[in-house]
Amino acid sequence: MARLKVAVLISGSGTNLQALIDACAAPDFPAEITKVISNRPNAGGIARAERAGIAVQVIDHKTFADRRAFDAALDDALRASDIELVCLAGFMRLLTEEFVNRWHDRLINIPPSLLPSFKGLHAAGQAVAAGVRITGCTVHFVRAEMDSGPIIVQAAVPVKSSDTEESLQARIQRAEHLCYPQALKLIAEGRVQVAGEKASVKDDGFAEDNRLINPT
Ligand code: GAR
């Protein structure tokens, strides 16, 4: 069976990109990363893509007059490579409504929070400041409004009283590295349907008594 052709968009260190690369290395994984795009010429994730032999393109947002022109270049690059699904992995640019609509239900993101809580920058810091005992990460289809859209996979992550933004962010990221490949697999297998702005997962492995209580 043909594998789903995926592009990953990055701005930084690319640990989520690495998790996706590692998952796609399995011969029976239903998706393949055929392109990585970075909006920053010095993003650490570029080397990860090169090591994996994936075509990398830098589209530096600073060289464009405005957001629309940047997003148009992004769109052109994705179409030129026949990309079927776009994964934002630490891609720190807001996308225009036009771009988001063109990639409707073919564009996914992973913010470090249990949406709809703690949207925007410093989600782990927001969770520490709010004093929640549990936060997490979310993989969702992207809509024009920031950090919104049908939810595909979430993981709950406990917050320690002694946590700082950095220690919590590191714990959330370890959960992200499990969730992102799982979400990609579900989509590539055709098991995710969106209806009425809610996503449902066919044959989801659901454990009725699967609870995370913190503190234990
Ligand atoms: C990830 O933790 C991701 O959740 C976050 O950036 C980090 C990127 O790390 N994304 C956002 O905050 C998006 N608003 P990575 O480059 O090592 O994958």
Side-chain angles (χ1 to χ4, degrees):
M1 213 182 85
R3 306 212 285 168
L4 190 73
K5 288 178 82 170
V6 173
V8 182
L9 272 50
I10 61 167
S11 302
S13 64
T15 63
N16 278 287
L17 166 65
Q18 189 67 56
L20 294 171
I21 289 172
D22 293 347
C24 289
D28 60 344
F29 197 80
E32 60 177 331
I33 303 168
T34 55
K35 180 153 222 165
V36 169
I37 298 175
S38 173
N39 69 306
R40 295 207 180 116
N42 57 353
I46 292 173
R48 295 178 189 274
E50 286 172 348
R51 264 202 305 276
I54 301 168
V56 187
Q57 192 172 346
V58 173
I59 305 180
D60 185 348
H61 63 277
K62 291 192 185 133
T63 63
F64 293 86
D66 55 25
R67 236 174 244 287
R68 268 191 88 183
F70 171 71
D71 284 8
L74 214 50
D75 188 59
D76 286 347
L78 295 167
R79 283 171 198 281
S81 305
D82 295 324
I83 295 302
E84 296 172 290
L85 182 81
V86 180
C87 299
L88 305 180
F91 184 70
M92 304 309 273
R93 298 288 304 165
L94 289 175
L95 294 162
T96 55
E97 189 166 355
E98 193 181 349
F99 180 92
V100 169
N101 289 342
R102 286 193 85 163
W103 290 89
H104 191 82
D105 289 350
R106 295 183 300 146
L107 175 63
I108 62 177
N109 185 31
I110 185 157
S113 67
L114 278 179
L115 293 183
S117 290
F118 307 134
K119 296 180 175 182
L121 292 175
H122 301 289
Q126 293 181 51
V128 169
V132 296
R133 297 268 69 87
I134 292 171
T135 182
C137 62
T138 302
V139 184
H140 68 99
F141 288 107
V142 174
R143 295 294 184 259
E145 191 190 322
M146 186 187 62
D147 290 341
S148 72
I151 290 169
I152 305 156
V153 173
Q154 289 187 305
V157 173
V159 184
K160 281 166 73 172
S161 297
S162 59
D163 265 329
T164 59
E165 176 174 352
E166 291 70 30
S167 62
L168 180 56
Q169 173 69 17
R171 192 175 309 119
I172 294 171
Q173 275 201 327
R174 292 199 293 276
E176 291 181 342
H177 300 158
L178 302 174
C179 287
Y180 221 173
Q182 187 185 337
L184 177 56
K185 183 167 188 282
L186 290 170
I187 292 169
E189 288 173 344
R191 290 169 59 192
V192 182
Q193 298 295 325
V194 181
E197 283 305 274
K198 262 178 78 170
S200 60
V201 178
K202 194 165 175 271
D203 302 327
D204 44 359
F206 179 75
E208 186 70 48
D209 289 322
N210 193 1
R211 299 190 182 101
L212 173 64
I213 299 175
N214 181 42
T216 47

